[in-house]
Amino acid sequence: MTWQETAKNKRDSVMAAIPQEWILDTIPSATEVPNAILFIDSKLTEKERAITYSTILELQPQIQSGKLSALEVTKAFAHRSALLHQLTNCCAEIFFDKAFETATYQDEFFAQHGRTIGPLHGIPLSAKDQINLEGIDSAMGFVSLINNPIEKQDVSKLAIILQQMGAIFFIKTTTPPAMMAYTTTSNIYGETVNVYNRKVSCGGSSGGEGALIGGRGAPLGWGTDIGGSIRVPSSFAGIYGLRGSTNRLPYCKLTNSFADQPVLSSVVGPMASDLQDLKYVMELVIQAEPWKFDPKCPPIPWRDPEQQVPAGKLVFALQSWNKLVMPSPPVKRALAIVKEKLIDAGHDVIEWDPPISSMTATQVAVDVYGADGYKEVVDYTQASGEPIVPEILSLAGGATLPKGVGHIHEHWDHAKRRYEVQQAVDDYWFNETTKLTGTGRPVDGIICPVWDTPSFKTRDIGKFYGDYVAQFNTLDYSVVVVPVLCADKLEDTKPSRSEFVSDKDEELWEYYDAELVDGCPVGVQVVAPRWQEETAIGLAEVVDGCLRKSGS
Amino acid sequence: MTWQETAKNKRDSVMAAIPQEWILDTIPSATEVPNAILFIDSKLTEKERAITYSTILELQPQIQSGKLSALEVTKAFAHRSALLHQLTNCCAEIFFDKAFETATYQDEFFAQHGRTIGPLHGIPLSAKDQINLEGIDSAMGFVSLINNPIEKQDVSKLAIILQQMGAIFFIKTTTPPAMMAYTTTSNIYGETVNVYNRKVSCGGSSGGEGALIGGRGAPLGWGTDIGGSIRVPSSFAGIYGLRGSTNRLPYCKLTNSFADQPVLSSVVGPMASDLQDLKYVMELVIQAEPWKFDPKCPPIPWRDPEQQVPAGKLVFALQSWNKLVMPSPPVKRALAIVKEKLIDAGHDVIEWDPPISSMTATQVAVDVYGADGYKEVVDYTQASGEPIVPEILSLAGGATLPKGVGHIHEHWDHAKRRYEVQQAVDDYWFNETTKLTGTGRPVDGIICPVWDTPSFKTRDIGKFYGDYVAQFNTLDYSVVVVPVLCADKLEDTKPSRSEFVSDKDEELWEYYDAELVDGCPVGVQVVAPRWQEETAIGLAEVVDGCLRKSGS
C-alpha cells in the first residue's frame, strides 16, 4: 500500500466513526463561514448547546444528581466534535462507540449504586494524538505509525488516572509530525484550521486540541508543549492552557518524538475553555499522586492557588516585546488592556528586563530540538515514503534538516547552557526584581505575548521565531495562557511605519493583514516560577478576574 | 613545572596549613597502628576529645549558652583533622586560618549581640573537594585543575546555605580523579586509607570524607554519589551517609566531572557519625528552600521522618545477595543481625526479588559513565601530563578507556533504559509487593548490602561490581547507610566452599582475608522510594534503634 493510501484509509476511518446523521451534506468554505462555532451552534439542539456550553463544574452536579446521564453528555460533545472535525479537520482519531459504551456502563453503575464512579464520571475529555489509549493508534502525524494500536500496558498513565476518576475519552486530535511545528499539518490529515477563522492556522503543535476545545468539542483536553505547543494553539483558540514545569504532570507512556532526549523535555498539560475547570482537573491529577505512576514526577503536593498569590497589590513584570519584532496591533492591544486592567485593579506593572533575552533562551531549545539532526523524523518518514512536511522544519529554524551534534559533549553543552540561562534569569527574578517592586517581594508574575500575530496562513509558519513561548521551555517556568480579546479589523489596523529595528520587524509588519486575522483570539502568557503551577493558575485568576470584571 | 612538582606543591601546601605543634614527629606504619582513631585520641586533650566526640545537637546548646566558643570547637576539630590527615591522607585542602577567622568573628558577634548567627553557628563541617569555597581549589584529583582558586560567584549554593546558618568550613577531602572509583587515589595525594584499618581502602569516591568523619574530624561532612560514592566510604568508615534522589539537595556550583551529562546525575549528601545530626542538617537545608538557589531542585517541602514511617509492624525487603557473588562473612553477618533485630522488634523481613537485577540496573549507570569515552578524563590528564590513575577505569568495567557512544541516540537510549528499569522496579515495589506484606501496604523499605567485603586493598578495586550501590543510582531511590558492626577475624572466618555460582564468586571467596579486614566497619543500605529522603531517614532510625537497643 502506498503512504497516500494508508493516509487516506486513516482519514476515511475517522469519518466513518461519525454517525451518518452527524455528517454534513456540504462543508461551507472558509470564506463563506470563517467562524466554525456559530455555524455549529445552529446545527445542535438546545439541550446539546446547553450541555456543550457547560463547564465541568457545572456538569458535575447535574450528573451526580442524575439530572444528566453520562451518555447524553458524551453524545452532545461527540456531536459537536463531529461537526467541528468536519469544519476544522481537528480529529486524528474518533472512537465514539467505545465512549458511548463506557458512558452506558457508568449510567448503569449510577443506577445500581446511586453514586458516580469518581469526580469526572460522565465527563468527556479529548486528547492530543500522543496520549496512548488502548486499541487506538498514536501516529503523531507519521504515516508509518498508523495501524499500531496501543496495547493495554502502554496506555498513558495520565489517561489511567483520569479514567479511574470517570473521565471518558472519545476523540484524539491532530498534530504535525513529531509535534515539531507551531501549526498543525501532516501528510495524514492535511491542515487543521483555526476554529474562529478557518482561513488561518489553529497554531500548533496541539492545534487539533486547540480547535476542538476552542469550539467547545470537549470541556477540557490535553496537549503537550516542548516549545509552545500548548500555548500557541490555546491563544489562537481563545482558551486557557497550562504548560507546567517538567514532569509536574505524568508524561509516562505518552507516545513522543525524541522521547528519550534528556536535556529539555516536552510536558503534558490541560487546555480548557474555563479556568476553574482547568484548576479543578489539575488538582484532581496532582491529588492522585502521579509520582506513584511515573518515576519522573517529583512528589510536590497540591497547593491552593489562592494561597500561593499574596493578598493585596501584586507587581507583574511585562515583556512587551522581544526588541526584534514589534508585535502586531491586536497583540499590542491585548497587552495594553491587560496592563490597564491590572493597574485599574490596584496592581502594578513594571518592565521585564532579564539579562538573557527571549531569543537567547529560545536558541538553547532550538539547538536541543535539532540535536539528532531530526534522525527520527527521517527514519519515520522514510519508513512509509512520505515526504517531510515543510512546516516541521520551521522549529529548527530553517528549510533544511538541522545538522545535529557531533561529539556527545556538544549535547551536554546544551544542558549546560540551559542551566546557565535558568540560573541567570532566576537570579534576576528572585533577587534583582525585589529591588524594583516596592513590596519586598520579587515580581509576582510575568505577563508576556504568546505570538507576534493572532494567527497566520499555515504555510507562513517559517516567518516566526516563537521566542515568546519557547523561552519558558528553556527556563521551565509555569505558564497559563489567558484569552484577552479577538482581533478586530476595524480596531487593529496596520499602523504606518517607516523605521524598523530589524528586517524581520519589517517583514512581519508587511505580513500583518487585519482582514485576514479578523476575529482571531489573542491570549497572553501569565508566568510563575518553576514548579509553581498553582501560582501560575492563581495569577491567571487575577488577570482573568480583571479582564472579565463586569462593567469594565 | 612538571605535574609531579605541581602535585608535590599541593601536598606540601596542605601540610603547611597545619600548625607546627600539630605535626607528628613520626607517622606510625599501618601494621604498627592499623586503627587511626585510638592513636589520635591519645594525642588530644580531654577537652578536645570531649568536643570532637560530641554531636552537632550536643554542641549546639553549649555554643548557644556561651559554654563553648566557636573558636575552641573549630580548633578541636581542626587539631583532630590535622592528625587524621597525617594518618589517613584524607585532606585535599586545609584552611584552618580562614576557619579560625570566621570562628573569631562569630564569637565576637555572640559577645556583642548575645545570640548566635544561626543554627550551625560554630559548627565545623567538612566537604569533599568538589564543593566550591571561595579562594580554594576544587581540583577533584586532577593535577591540571590545581591553582584555580574558586571565585565568589562560583561558590557552591549548598555551602552558601550552610555558611549563612553559621557552619564553618575548614577542610576539603580527597577524591579520585573525576570521582570515578570506589577507592580514593590520585596522582596529587596518593592513596587515602581506611581510618579503622589503615592497611585497606577507605572506599570512594568520597573516601577522604569517610576517613575524616569516621575519625570524628568533623561531626558532619558532604560527599557526592553517582554510583555509590557516599555509601561505600560511609560503610567503610562506620558512619551514616545519605544518598538522596537527584537534586533533592542543591548541586549548583559544585565542581563536577561530566557535570552536564544529563541522563544520570551525581547527588550531594551528608555523611555523619550521628544519625540525628544527619537528620537535623537535612531538615535545615530543605527548610532553606534550595529551589530558590538551584533551578534543578524541585520544591519538595520537608516532611517529618517519623510521620513518614507507618506505626506498628513494618515489612522490609532484604536483598541478601546479587545471585552472582556470595557476600563475605562480615557482610553476611551484618545482614543477619539486622534481620534478626528487626524481627525481634516485631517487624517482618521478606525477600527483595524485583524483575530487574541489581547488575542490570547497574549496567545502565556504567554505560552512562562511559558515554563520552572518558574524554574529559583524557583532556584533564593530558593537560598536565599526569597518567590516568588505573583505579578510575574500574567504574567503566575494565582496564581500558570505554569506547563512548557513537550517535547521540545511543545516549538517549541510556535514558530510555534507565526509565524502563525505574518503571519496572517501581511497579514491583509499589504494586507487586503489596500482595506479599500482609499490611495492605507495599514493603516499607529495602535492606541491602553496601559492598561484598568490608574493604579491600586499593589496587584490587577492579575485582568488584559495585552493583549493590549503583543500582540505586539508576533507580534514584533514597538511601541511608547505617553502620552495623566491625569485621572480626575470629568471628568472620572464611568458610570452606567447593561450589560457586560464578567465577567471580570463587575469585572473591579466594580474595577474602579475615586478617586483612579485621576491624573494618560494615554498614547496610536502608532504602526508601524516590524523593523520600525523610522516609529513608525514618527507616534508618528504626533499623538503628533495633541495632543499638540496650541489652541486645
Side-chain angles (χ1 to χ4, degrees), chain B residues 18-349:
Chain B
I18 299 176
Q20 191 55 44
E21 64 270 25
W22 295 348
I23 301 283
L24 293 167
D25 293 334
T26 53
I27 313 280
S29 74
T31 320
E32 289 170 302
V33 176
N35 183 323
I37 298 170
L38 299 174
F39 178 84
I40 287 168
D41 282 345
S42 74
K43 303 286 178 190
L44 299 175
T45 66
E46 194 180 337
K47 183 153 194 189
E48 285 174 326
R49 282 197 301 276
I51 289 172
T52 57
Y53 274 98
S54 298
T55 66
I56 293 172
L57 291 167
E58 287 166 348
L59 292 167
Q60 193 187 50
Q62 298 184 71
I63 293 170
Q64 286 173 349
S65 65
K67 210 174 142 195
L68 282 175
S69 73
L71 188 61
E72 63 190 332
V73 172
T74 304
K75 281 198 165 167
F77 281 107
H79 189 187
R80 194 169 181 104
S81 293
L83 298 173
L84 277 163
H85 177 59
Q86 293 172 74
L87 266 79
T88 68
N89 194 26
C90 61
C91 290
E93 302 285 340
I94 290 182
F95 37 97
F96 294 156
D97 284 355
K98 286 188 186 212
F100 296 161
E101 206 176 290
T102 306
T104 303
Y105 164 77
Q106 291 188 355
D107 287 334
E108 286 165 6
F109 182 94
F110 183 81
Q112 200 177 341
H113 300 281
R115 60 177 171 86
T116 55
I117 65 165
L120 296 177
H121 180 117
I123 304 293
L125 299 184
S126 54
K128 192 177 185 177
D129 200 22
Q130 291 172 265
I131 291 179
N132 290 350
L133 299 172
E134 192 176 349
I136 296 162
D137 282 351
S138 289
M140 56 171 185
F142 287 112
V143 175
S144 58
L145 300 186
I146 291 173
N147 297 327
N148 287 296
I150 295 298
E151 294 180 18
K152 193 179 178 69
Q153 73 272 16
D154 291 323
V155 172
S156 296
K157 300 295 186 184
L158 178 62
I160 291 172
I161 290 171
L162 293 162
Q163 284 171 330
Q164 284 175 349
M165 295 180 191
I168 299 173
F169 287 102
F170 66 122
I171 46 172
K172 298 210 298 179
T173 54
T174 50
T175 78
M179 289 68 72
M180 280 287 110
Y182 290 119
T183 187
T184 302
T185 304
S186 70
N187 290 322
I188 307 176
Y189 305 102
E191 181 189 345
T192 304
V193 296
N194 194 301
V195 70
Y196 275 82
N197 178 343
R198 295 164 65 224
K199 291 179 283 184
V200 291
S201 174
C202 58
S205 67
S206 313
E209 201 59 36
L212 186 94
I213 303 294
R216 308 196 77 91
L220 184 142
W222 299 91
T224 66
D225 190 320
I226 194 172
S229 283
I230 285 173
R231 291 163 287 158
V232 175
S234 291
S235 179
F236 285 20
I239 61 174
Y240 303 86
L242 168 69
R243 187 220 96 92
S245 296
T246 308
N247 295 314
R248 185 74 200 275
L249 292 172
Y251 210 98
C252 194
K253 301 277 188 186
L254 267 74
T255 294
N256 195 9
S257 57
F258 318 103
D260 304 300
Q261 175 273 100
V263 174
L264 193 154
S265 300
S266 171
V267 304
V268 62
M271 301 165 69
S273 49
D274 184 78
L275 184 55
Q276 295 307 309
D277 279 357
L278 184 150
K279 177 170 74 168
Y280 176 68
V281 173
M282 273 297 291
E283 178 173 358
L284 285 180
V285 175
I286 300 295
Q287 300 284 26
E289 306 189 327
W291 47 91
K292 294 186 173 165
F293 298 80
D294 183 349
K296 288 188 178 174
C297 293
I300 304 171
W302 180 254
R303 298 154 294 189
D304 180 3
E306 281 70 41
Q307 299 284 325
Q308 299 300 303
V309 176
K313 186 181 94 164
L314 302 175
V315 181
F316 290 88
L318 173 68
Q319 183 189 16
S320 53
W321 72 313
N322 61 6
K323 297 175 185 167
L324 286 170
V325 175
M326 184 55 64
S328 66
V331 175
K332 284 183 73 172
R333 185 161 66 90
L335 295 175
I337 288 173
V338 170
K339 181 174 178 178
E340 184 197 329
K341 299 276 185 187
L342 284 169
I343 290 171
D344 284 353
H347 303 301
D348 210 351
V349 180

Side-chain angles (χ1 to χ4, degrees), chain A residues 294 372 409 411-412 419 530, chain B residues 294-295 372 409 411-412 419:
Chain A
D294 183 348
D372 78 337
H409 279 199
H411 193 41
W412 295 2
Y419 195 32
R530 197 173 301 112
Chain B
D294 183 349
D372 78 337
H409 278 199
H411 193 41
W412 294 3
Y419 195 31

Side-chain angles (χ1 to χ4, degrees), chain A residues 344-486:
Chain A
D344 283 354
H347 303 301
D348 210 352
V349 179
I350 66 174
E351 196 190 345
W352 178 249
D353 189 25
I356 307 284
S357 73
S358 51
M359 281 300 287
T360 300
T362 294
Q363 192 57 49
V364 177
V366 170
D367 289 347
V368 173
Y369 308 147
D372 78 337
Y374 277 31
K375 181 175 187 309
E376 192 178 281
V377 171
V378 171
D379 291 349
Y380 280 145
T381 49
Q382 284 183 349
S384 71
E386 66 168 318
I388 294 178
V389 176
E391 284 85 346
I392 77 165
L393 297 172
S394 60
L395 256 197
T400 54
L401 291 171
K403 193 172 151 285
V405 298
H407 193 274
I408 195 178
H409 279 199
E410 293 175 42
H411 193 41
W412 295 2
D413 192 56
H414 299 152
K416 180 179 190 217
R417 286 165 51 208
R418 185 187 193 201
Y419 195 32
E420 287 172 351
V421 166
Q422 291 182 336
Q423 288 174 57
V425 181
D426 277 14
D427 182 55
Y428 169 73
W429 188 343
F430 303 155
N431 299 315
E432 292 306 308
T433 71
T434 307
K435 302 169 192 162
L436 308 170
T437 57
T439 60
R441 303 188 304 268
V443 293
D444 297 296
I446 310 167
I447 307 280
C448 171
V450 176
W451 199 257
D452 301 281
T453 58
S455 183
F456 47 81
K457 286 275 185 192
T458 196
R459 64 168 179 268
D460 297 324
I461 176 63
K463 293 185 186 296
F464 298 91
Y465 290 135
D467 58 306
Y468 292 119
V469 278
Q471 63 177 327
F472 297 120
N473 296 83
T474 297
L475 289 165
D476 207 19
Y477 289 159
S478 309
V479 188
V480 172
V481 169
V482 174
V484 179
L485 52 73
C486 286

